[in-house]
Amino acid sequence: MKTLALLTLASLALPLSAMAQAPQAELVSIQKIYDKGGHQAFTDLTRFKNLFFCCFREAQDHVGSDGSIRIMISSTGSTWVDYATISEKGTDLRDPKLEVTPDGKQLYLTCTAVFESSVKGLKTRQPRYSKTTDGKVWTPPQKLLALGDTLWRTAVNPADKKFYGVSFNMHPTTGGPKPEPEWSLKSYTSSDGSVWQLSSIMQVPNQPNETTLRFLKDGSALALVRREAGDKRGYIGSATAPYREWKWTPLTNVVQGQNFIELPDGSLIAASRGLGKTPGAHTVLYKMTPTSLEPILELPSGGDCSYPGLLWHENHLWVSYYSSHEGKASIYIAKVKLPWVTAK
Protein backbone atom coordinates (compact mmCIF):
# COMPACT_ATOMS: atom_id res chain seq x y z
CA MET A 1 0.00 0.00 0.00
CA LYS A 2 1.54 3.23 -1.16
CA THR A 3 0.27 5.59 1.52
CA LEU A 4 2.79 3.93 3.83
CA ALA A 5 6.31 5.11 3.03
CA LEU A 6 8.98 2.66 1.91
CA LEU A 7 11.52 2.36 4.66
CA THR A 8 15.21 3.18 4.48
CA LEU A 9 17.70 0.40 3.87
CA ALA A 10 19.22 1.04 7.29
CA SER A 11 15.90 0.28 8.99
CA LEU A 12 15.59 -2.98 7.04
CA ALA A 13 19.11 -4.11 7.82
CA LEU A 14 19.94 -7.42 9.50
CA PRO A 15 23.29 -9.15 9.97
CA LEU A 16 23.94 -10.96 6.69
CA SER A 17 25.30 -13.88 8.70
CA ALA A 18 21.71 -14.64 9.72
CA MET A 19 20.92 -15.86 6.22
CA ALA A 20 23.93 -18.18 6.19
CA GLN A 21 23.06 -19.65 9.60
CA ALA A 22 19.37 -20.27 8.89
CA PRO A 23 18.05 -23.41 7.11
CA GLN A 24 18.54 -22.93 3.38
CA ALA A 25 16.00 -22.89 0.57
CA GLU A 26 16.55 -23.66 -3.10
CA LEU A 27 15.07 -21.58 -5.92
CA VAL A 28 13.79 -24.16 -8.44
CA SER A 29 12.30 -21.76 -11.02
CA ILE A 30 11.30 -18.14 -11.53
CA GLN A 31 8.94 -16.75 -14.15
CA LYS A 32 7.56 -13.33 -15.04
CA ILE A 33 3.86 -13.87 -15.73
CA TYR A 34 2.56 -10.33 -16.39
CA ASP A 35 3.94 -6.91 -17.31
CA LYS A 36 1.37 -5.43 -19.73
CA GLY A 37 0.21 -2.57 -17.50
CA GLY A 38 2.05 0.56 -16.46
CA HIS A 39 2.48 -0.78 -12.92
CA GLN A 40 1.40 -4.14 -11.50
CA ALA A 41 1.82 -5.03 -7.85
CA PHE A 42 0.37 -6.41 -4.58
CA THR A 43 -0.14 -10.11 -5.28
CA ASP A 44 -1.77 -13.14 -3.74
CA LEU A 45 -1.84 -16.81 -4.68
CA THR A 46 -4.10 -19.78 -3.93
CA ARG A 47 -5.56 -23.03 -5.32
CA PHE A 48 -9.24 -23.31 -6.30
CA LYS A 49 -10.94 -26.00 -8.40
CA ASN A 50 -7.55 -27.68 -9.03
CA LEU A 51 -6.09 -24.50 -10.54
CA PHE A 52 -3.59 -21.88 -9.41
CA PHE A 53 -5.20 -18.44 -8.99
CA CYS A 54 -3.00 -15.34 -8.82
CA CYS A 55 -4.43 -11.87 -8.26
CA PHE A 56 -2.78 -8.44 -8.31
CA ARG A 57 -3.46 -4.74 -8.82
CA GLU A 58 -2.87 -3.21 -12.26
CA ALA A 59 -2.68 0.58 -12.80
CA GLN A 60 -0.63 3.25 -14.50
CA ASP A 61 1.37 4.11 -11.38
CA HIS A 62 2.15 2.84 -7.88
CA VAL A 63 -0.23 5.44 -6.49
CA GLY A 64 -2.49 8.19 -7.81
CA SER A 65 -4.26 6.34 -10.63
CA ASP A 66 -7.32 4.11 -10.57
CA GLY A 67 -6.38 0.47 -10.16
CA SER A 68 -8.19 -2.72 -11.10
CA ILE A 69 -7.70 -6.29 -9.88
CA ARG A 70 -6.49 -8.80 -12.46
CA ILE A 71 -6.99 -12.54 -11.99
CA MET A 72 -4.75 -15.08 -13.74
CA ILE A 73 -4.99 -18.89 -13.66
CA SER A 74 -2.73 -21.84 -14.39
CA SER A 75 -3.13 -25.60 -14.31
CA THR A 76 0.58 -26.31 -13.89
CA GLY A 77 2.11 -23.10 -12.51
CA SER A 78 4.18 -22.65 -15.67
CA THR A 79 1.68 -21.33 -18.24
CA TRP A 80 -0.61 -18.53 -17.07
CA VAL A 81 -3.86 -17.27 -18.61
CA ASP A 82 -5.41 -13.83 -18.12
CA TYR A 83 -8.83 -14.81 -16.76
CA ALA A 84 -10.80 -11.96 -15.15
CA THR A 85 -10.71 -8.37 -13.90
CA ILE A 86 -12.50 -6.58 -11.06
CA SER A 87 -12.88 -2.80 -11.14
CA GLU A 88 -14.89 0.07 -9.67
CA LYS A 89 -15.30 3.39 -11.46
CA GLY A 90 -13.32 6.27 -9.97
CA THR A 91 -11.63 3.97 -7.45
CA ASP A 92 -8.18 2.54 -6.90
CA LEU A 93 -8.60 -1.11 -5.86
CA ARG A 94 -5.45 -2.20 -4.01
CA ASP A 95 -3.96 -5.09 -2.04
CA PRO A 96 -6.21 -7.94 -3.27
CA LYS A 97 -6.19 -11.13 -1.20
CA LEU A 98 -7.77 -14.52 -1.95
CA GLU A 99 -9.40 -17.04 0.39
CA VAL A 100 -11.43 -20.16 -0.40
CA THR A 101 -14.74 -20.19 1.49
CA PRO A 102 -15.15 -22.79 4.24
CA ASP A 103 -17.39 -25.00 2.08
CA GLY A 104 -14.85 -24.91 -0.76
CA LYS A 105 -17.47 -23.77 -3.27
CA GLN A 106 -16.48 -20.12 -3.69
CA LEU A 107 -13.37 -18.00 -3.97
CA TYR A 108 -13.51 -14.88 -1.81
CA LEU A 109 -11.48 -11.75 -2.58
CA THR A 110 -10.92 -8.71 -0.40
CA CYS A 111 -9.19 -5.48 -1.38
CA THR A 112 -8.94 -1.84 -0.34
CA ALA A 113 -10.80 0.84 -2.27
CA VAL A 114 -9.09 4.25 -2.28
CA PHE A 115 -11.17 7.19 -3.53
CA GLU A 116 -11.78 10.93 -3.13
CA SER A 117 -12.96 11.97 0.33
CA SER A 118 -15.31 14.77 1.29
CA VAL A 119 -12.23 17.01 1.69
CA LYS A 120 -11.00 18.15 -1.71
CA GLY A 121 -7.56 16.84 -2.59
CA LEU A 122 -7.55 14.15 0.12
CA LYS A 123 -8.48 10.50 -0.29
CA THR A 124 -10.08 7.96 2.01
CA ARG A 125 -10.42 4.20 1.92
CA GLN A 126 -12.76 1.33 2.73
CA PRO A 127 -12.55 -2.44 2.25
CA ARG A 128 -14.32 -4.26 -0.58
CA TYR A 129 -15.12 -7.91 -1.21
CA SER A 130 -16.14 -9.98 -4.21
CA LYS A 131 -16.99 -13.68 -4.71
CA THR A 132 -16.98 -16.20 -7.52
CA THR A 133 -18.00 -19.82 -8.03
CA ASP A 134 -15.91 -20.36 -11.17
CA GLY A 135 -13.14 -17.74 -11.01
CA LYS A 136 -14.38 -16.09 -14.19
CA VAL A 137 -17.52 -14.20 -13.14
CA TRP A 138 -17.17 -12.15 -9.97
CA THR A 139 -19.79 -10.26 -7.98
CA PRO A 140 -19.40 -6.45 -8.10
CA PRO A 141 -17.21 -5.13 -5.25
CA GLN A 142 -19.25 -4.65 -2.07
CA LYS A 143 -18.37 -2.43 0.90
CA LEU A 144 -17.07 -3.79 4.21
CA LEU A 145 -16.56 -2.18 7.64
CA ALA A 146 -16.32 1.65 7.81
CA LEU A 147 -14.67 4.53 6.01
CA GLY A 148 -10.98 4.64 6.88
CA ASP A 149 -10.69 0.91 7.60
CA THR A 150 -8.30 -1.38 5.74
CA LEU A 151 -9.10 -5.09 6.14
CA TRP A 152 -5.79 -6.24 4.76
CA ARG A 153 -6.05 -10.05 4.65
CA THR A 154 -8.62 -12.64 5.70
CA ALA A 155 -8.18 -16.25 6.80
CA VAL A 156 -10.62 -19.07 7.54
CA ASN A 157 -10.30 -20.72 10.93
CA PRO A 158 -10.70 -24.50 10.39
CA ALA A 159 -12.01 -24.90 13.95
CA ASP A 160 -15.14 -22.75 13.63
CA LYS A 161 -15.31 -22.28 9.82
CA LYS A 162 -15.40 -18.50 10.18
CA PHE A 163 -13.49 -15.74 8.41
CA TYR A 164 -11.07 -13.67 10.48
CA GLY A 165 -9.13 -10.59 9.49
CA VAL A 166 -7.24 -7.60 10.90
CA SER A 167 -8.09 -4.03 9.96
CA PHE A 168 -6.09 -0.89 10.61
CA ASN A 169 -7.28 2.71 10.55
CA MET A 170 -4.98 5.72 10.14
CA HIS A 171 -7.50 8.18 11.64
CA PRO A 172 -9.37 6.19 14.31
CA THR A 173 -10.60 9.12 16.45
CA THR A 174 -11.19 11.96 13.99
CA GLY A 175 -12.57 9.98 11.07
CA GLY A 176 -9.94 11.52 8.79
CA PRO A 177 -9.11 11.98 6.14
CA LYS A 178 -5.71 13.14 7.50
CA PRO A 179 -3.67 10.40 9.26
CA GLU A 180 -3.29 10.68 13.04
CA PRO A 181 -0.11 10.09 15.11
CA GLU A 182 -1.43 6.73 16.35
CA TRP A 183 -3.41 4.19 14.33
CA SER A 184 -5.83 1.50 15.49
CA LEU A 185 -5.52 -2.23 14.87
CA LYS A 186 -8.55 -4.50 15.36
CA SER A 187 -9.44 -8.06 14.49
CA TYR A 188 -12.85 -8.95 13.07
CA THR A 189 -14.73 -12.16 12.36
CA SER A 190 -17.52 -13.13 9.96
CA SER A 191 -19.57 -16.24 9.26
CA ASP A 192 -20.15 -15.40 5.59
CA GLY A 193 -17.58 -12.73 4.62
CA SER A 194 -20.19 -9.99 4.20
CA VAL A 195 -21.06 -8.96 7.77
CA TRP A 196 -18.13 -8.55 10.15
CA GLN A 197 -18.08 -8.22 13.96
CA LEU A 198 -15.32 -6.86 16.18
CA SER A 199 -13.29 -9.67 17.75
CA SER A 200 -10.42 -7.90 19.53
CA ILE A 201 -8.54 -4.63 19.91
CA MET A 202 -4.88 -5.34 19.23
CA GLN A 203 -2.57 -3.23 21.38
CA VAL A 204 0.36 -2.59 19.06
CA PRO A 205 2.12 0.80 19.27
CA ASN A 206 3.62 3.07 16.60
CA GLN A 207 1.18 3.00 13.69
CA PRO A 208 0.48 -0.72 13.15
CA ASN A 209 -0.96 -1.46 9.74
CA GLU A 210 -0.64 -4.38 7.27
CA THR A 211 -1.31 -7.60 9.20
CA THR A 212 -1.38 -11.24 8.15
CA LEU A 213 -3.30 -13.51 10.52
CA ARG A 214 -3.16 -17.32 10.32
CA PHE A 215 -4.52 -20.24 12.32
CA LEU A 216 -2.13 -23.07 13.17
CA LYS A 217 -2.77 -26.80 13.45
CA ASP A 218 -2.77 -26.58 17.25
CA GLY A 219 -5.71 -24.14 17.15
CA SER A 220 -3.71 -21.04 18.08
CA ALA A 221 -3.51 -17.91 15.93
CA LEU A 222 -0.49 -15.84 14.89
CA ALA A 223 -0.46 -12.30 13.52
CA LEU A 224 2.51 -10.70 11.73
CA VAL A 225 2.25 -6.89 11.87
CA ARG A 226 3.96 -4.06 10.02
CA ARG A 227 4.56 -0.78 11.87
CA GLU A 228 5.17 2.64 10.39
CA ALA A 229 6.55 4.65 13.33
CA GLY A 230 9.09 4.24 16.13
CA ASP A 231 11.80 1.76 15.12
CA LYS A 232 9.37 0.43 12.46
CA ARG A 233 10.22 -3.16 13.26
CA GLY A 234 7.48 -5.76 13.01
CA TYR A 235 5.54 -7.47 15.77
CA ILE A 236 4.33 -11.07 16.07
CA GLY A 237 1.18 -11.68 18.11
CA SER A 238 -0.15 -15.00 19.42
CA ALA A 239 -3.56 -15.89 20.80
CA THR A 240 -5.70 -18.89 21.66
CA ALA A 241 -9.45 -19.25 21.22
CA PRO A 242 -11.53 -17.10 21.33
CA TYR A 243 -8.63 -14.91 20.04
CA ARG A 244 -9.45 -11.81 22.08
CA GLU A 245 -6.24 -11.58 24.12
CA TRP A 246 -2.95 -11.24 22.24
CA LYS A 247 0.63 -11.62 23.44
CA TRP A 248 3.08 -9.50 21.44
CA THR A 249 6.77 -9.99 20.61
CA PRO A 250 8.82 -7.20 18.97
CA LEU A 251 10.99 -8.37 16.07
CA THR A 252 14.47 -7.34 15.02
CA ASN A 253 13.16 -7.20 11.41
CA VAL A 254 11.21 -4.58 9.52
CA VAL A 255 8.39 -6.23 7.54
CA GLN A 256 6.58 -4.71 4.54
CA GLY A 257 3.82 -6.36 2.54
CA GLN A 258 4.46 -9.48 4.59
CA ASN A 259 2.84 -12.90 4.48
CA PHE A 260 3.36 -16.28 6.15
CA ILE A 261 1.90 -19.80 6.14
CA GLU A 262 2.25 -23.00 8.15
CA LEU A 263 3.89 -25.88 6.27
CA PRO A 264 2.91 -29.59 6.44
CA ASP A 265 5.56 -30.36 9.07
CA GLY A 266 4.29 -27.55 11.32
CA SER A 267 7.12 -25.14 10.55
CA LEU A 268 6.40 -21.59 9.40
CA ILE A 269 7.62 -19.73 6.32
CA ALA A 270 7.27 -15.98 5.77
CA ALA A 271 8.06 -13.52 2.99
CA SER A 272 8.48 -9.76 3.06
CA ARG A 273 10.36 -6.84 1.61
CA GLY A 274 13.73 -6.87 3.36
CA LEU A 275 17.48 -7.18 2.99
CA GLY A 276 19.17 -10.36 1.80
CA LYS A 277 22.72 -11.13 0.70
CA THR A 278 23.01 -8.42 -1.97
CA PRO A 279 22.73 -4.64 -1.48
CA GLY A 280 19.29 -3.03 -1.52
CA ALA A 281 15.80 -4.14 -0.63
CA HIS A 282 14.43 -7.39 -2.08
CA THR A 283 11.65 -9.90 -1.62
CA VAL A 284 13.07 -12.26 1.02
CA LEU A 285 11.89 -15.60 2.43
CA TYR A 286 12.21 -16.16 6.18
CA LYS A 287 12.10 -19.16 8.48
CA MET A 288 9.54 -18.04 11.05
CA THR A 289 8.78 -18.99 14.65
CA PRO A 290 6.10 -17.49 16.92
CA THR A 291 8.73 -14.99 18.10
CA SER A 292 11.26 -14.52 15.28
CA LEU A 293 12.12 -14.25 11.59
CA GLU A 294 15.38 -15.54 10.05
CA PRO A 295 16.16 -14.81 6.36
CA ILE A 296 16.87 -17.89 4.23
CA LEU A 297 16.49 -16.87 0.57
CA GLU A 298 16.57 -13.66 -1.45
CA LEU A 299 14.30 -13.97 -4.50
CA PRO A 300 15.24 -12.26 -7.80
CA SER A 301 13.86 -8.80 -7.08
CA GLY A 302 14.71 -5.24 -6.15
CA GLY A 303 13.49 -1.69 -5.73
CA ASP A 304 9.70 -1.49 -5.70
CA CYS A 305 8.87 -5.08 -4.71
CA SER A 306 7.35 -7.59 -2.27
CA TYR A 307 3.66 -8.25 -1.34
CA PRO A 308 3.93 -12.01 -1.83
CA GLY A 309 1.35 -14.74 -2.03
CA LEU A 310 2.45 -18.06 -0.50
CA LEU A 311 1.17 -21.54 -1.32
CA TRP A 312 2.40 -25.05 -0.50
CA HIS A 313 1.65 -27.44 -3.36
CA GLU A 314 3.17 -30.78 -4.41
CA ASN A 315 6.06 -30.54 -1.94
CA HIS A 316 7.17 -27.07 -3.03
CA LEU A 317 6.58 -23.52 -1.89
CA TRP A 318 5.04 -21.33 -4.60
CA VAL A 319 5.51 -17.58 -4.25
CA SER A 320 3.81 -14.79 -6.20
CA TYR A 321 5.31 -11.32 -5.85
CA TYR A 322 6.02 -8.15 -7.75
CA SER A 323 9.33 -6.48 -8.48
CA SER A 324 10.88 -3.67 -10.54
CA HIS A 325 14.41 -5.12 -10.80
CA GLU A 326 13.99 -5.67 -14.56
CA GLY A 327 12.44 -2.26 -15.26
CA LYS A 328 8.79 -1.56 -14.51
CA ALA A 329 7.00 -3.34 -11.69
CA SER A 330 5.92 -6.78 -12.92
CA ILE A 331 4.44 -9.99 -11.53
CA TYR A 332 6.60 -13.07 -10.85
CA ILE A 333 6.02 -16.65 -9.75
CA ALA A 334 8.79 -18.52 -7.94
CA LYS A 335 8.94 -22.22 -7.11
CA VAL A 336 11.08 -23.01 -4.07
CA LYS A 337 12.31 -26.23 -2.50
CA LEU A 338 12.52 -26.31 1.31
CA PRO A 339 14.73 -29.31 2.16
CA TRP A 340 13.69 -29.55 5.80
CA VAL A 341 9.98 -30.05 4.98
CA THR A 342 9.15 -33.75 4.66
CA ALA A 343 6.64 -34.84 2.02
CA LYS A 344 3.08 -35.28 3.25
Side-chain angles (χ1 to χ4, degrees):
M1 53 171 284
K2 183 55 181 177
T3 53
L4 305 183
L6 294 178
L7 304 186
T8 64
L9 297 184
S11 67
L12 288 165
L14 282 174
L16 297 184
S17 59
M19 184 171 289
Q21 294 170 358
Q24 294 302 295
E26 176 187 347
L27 180 61
V28 176
S29 64
I30 181 71
Q31 180 185 6
K32 182 193 293 186
I33 67 167
Y34 194 85
D35 64 355
K36 295 180 181 179
H39 187 279
Q40 30 275 310
F42 318 130
T43 80
D44 202 20
L45 185 67
T46 194
R47 294 274 298 178
F48 180 63
K49 294 187 178 297
N50 294 318
L51 294 170
F52 289 94
F53 277 76
C54 180
C55 68
F56 53 91
R57 170 189 179 263
E58 181 181 1
Q60 285 301 114
D61 306 289
H62 193 131
V63 69
S65 57
D66 290 351
S68 60
I69 307 304
R70 188 167 297 276
I71 312 292
M72 299 187 72
I73 63 170
S74 175
S75 59
T76 63
S78 59
T79 301
W80 289 82
V81 176
D82 189 358
Y83 203 56
T85 57
I86 301 171
S87 61
E88 182 178 326
K89 186 178 180 180
T91 301
D92 183 7
L93 298 181
R94 307 176 67 86
D95 296 325
K97 305 291 187 295
L98 296 168
E99 185 73 15
V100 178
T101 56
D103 61 9
K105 296 180 179 180
Q106 292 182 304
L107 190 57
Y108 178 80
L109 181 146
T110 55
C111 61
T112 299
V114 179
F115 48 92
E116 292 293 332
S117 72
S118 57
V119 178
K120 186 177 180 179
L122 294 177
K123 294 191 174 185
T124 189
R125 58 182 56 222
Q126 189 173 8
R128 298 285 193 268
Y129 79 96
S130 184
K131 290 183 178 181
T132 183
T133 57
D134 61 3
K136 182 68 174 179
V137 179
W138 293 77
T139 60
Q142 302 294 312
K143 296 178 182 178
L144 288 176
L145 302 183
L147 283 175
D149 284 331
T150 298
L151 184 65
W152 201 67
R153 182 187 293 277
T154 65
V156 170
N157 182 358
D160 60 15
K161 309 299 183 184
K162 291 183 179 181
F163 292 93
Y164 287 76
V166 177
S167 177
F168 68 93
N169 194 310
M170 293 185 285
H171 33 74
T173 62
T174 64
K178 293 183 178 180
E180 298 175 26
E182 273 297 339
W183 303 348
S184 65
L185 195 70
K186 301 175 182 179
S187 67
Y188 290 85
T189 186
S190 173
S191 60
D192 62 1
S194 61
V195 179
W196 291 76
Q197 296 180 326
L198 179 66
S199 177
S200 72
I201 297 176
M202 307 172 95
Q203 303 291 346
V204 178
N206 296 315
Q207 298 180 352
N209 49 91
E210 300 166 349
T211 300
T212 291
L213 181 145
R214 301 289 187 193
F215 294 92
L216 307 185
K217 293 180 178 65
D218 65 5
S220 65
L222 289 181
L224 181 57
V225 182
R226 173 179 177 172
R227 299 189 309 140
E228 213 62 27
D231 63 15
K232 301 184 179 180
R233 294 172 179 171
Y235 269 43
I236 295 180
S238 60
T240 56
Y243 316 108
R244 296 194 180 104
E245 300 291 333
W246 291 84
K247 179 181 178 181
W248 296 101
T249 301
L251 295 173
T252 59
N253 320 69
V254 172
V255 292
Q256 298 178 330
Q258 70 280 1
N259 192 7
F260 75 93
I261 58 172
E262 186 177 28
L263 300 173
D265 67 345
S267 64
L268 302 171
I269 194 80
S272 170
R273 178 180 163 93
L275 289 186
K277 290 184 177 180
T278 59
H282 303 276
T283 301
V284 177
L285 294 181
Y286 299 84
K287 186 72 180 292
M288 179 177 171
T289 75
T291 58
S292 66
L293 293 175
E294 292 292 339
I296 60 172
L297 181 66
E298 175 190 303
L299 295 174
S301 56
D304 187 8
C305 65
S306 184
Y307 291 74
L310 298 174
L311 174 69
W312 184 260
H313 179 65
E314 295 184 343
N315 300 319
H316 286 85
L317 177 70
W318 296 77
V319 186
S320 65
Y321 66 99
Y322 84 97
S323 177
S324 59
H325 67 291
E326 294 183 310
K328 67 179 178 181
S330 303
I331 306 301
Y332 296 83
I333 297 288
K335 184 179 180 181
V336 179
K337 182 179 180 181
L338 302 177
W340 75 85
V341 182
T342 57
K344 288 187 178 182

